[in-house]
Amino acid sequence: MSDLGEAGYLQAGDRLTFPRPRLDEMHHATVLENGAVEVDGHPASNSLSNAARVATGGASVDGWTAWTVDRLNDELLSDTRARFLTEVQNAEAATD
């Protein structure tokens, strides 16, 4: 996740949302200055999957596909990461 922060895709203070409509649950997290994620007031985690596990009370969840970025029109973090990786690949190809 730190690569997304360094590239400006995620910023300190960004609010993340993990909707679980079938359970009528909505979890929230905040990206901290150091890139960690604080979930619903629980201690910060450096892993999106661990943050999702905290939010669910222990269920194993892929954090990249669980969390959305409010500031990016609720884009899934997996999509944000895909955009970042595409940009990196394009930049590398341009320098070859």
Side-chain angles (χ1 to χ4, degrees), residues 26-41:
M26 185 78 65
H27 301 283
H28 300 284
T30 304
V31 177
L32 303 178
E33 281 287 333
N34 65 1
V37 178
E38 182 180 71
V39 180
D40 294 330

Side-chain angles (χ1 to χ4, degrees), residues 1 4-17 27-40 48 67-75 77 80 83:
M1 234 180 52
L4 295 178
E6 290 170 11
Y9 284 84
L10 283 180
Q11 301 170 2
D14 272 347
R15 181 177 157 150
L16 308 179
T17 300
H27 301 283
H28 300 284
T30 304
V31 177
L32 303 178
E33 281 287 333
N34 65 1
V37 178
E38 182 180 71
V39 180
D40 294 330
L48 292 170
W67 297 102
T68 63
V69 184
D70 293 10
R71 180 178 53 81
L72 301 177
N73 297 315
D74 299 323
E75 179 178 64
L77 269 169
T80 305
R83 284 190 306 114

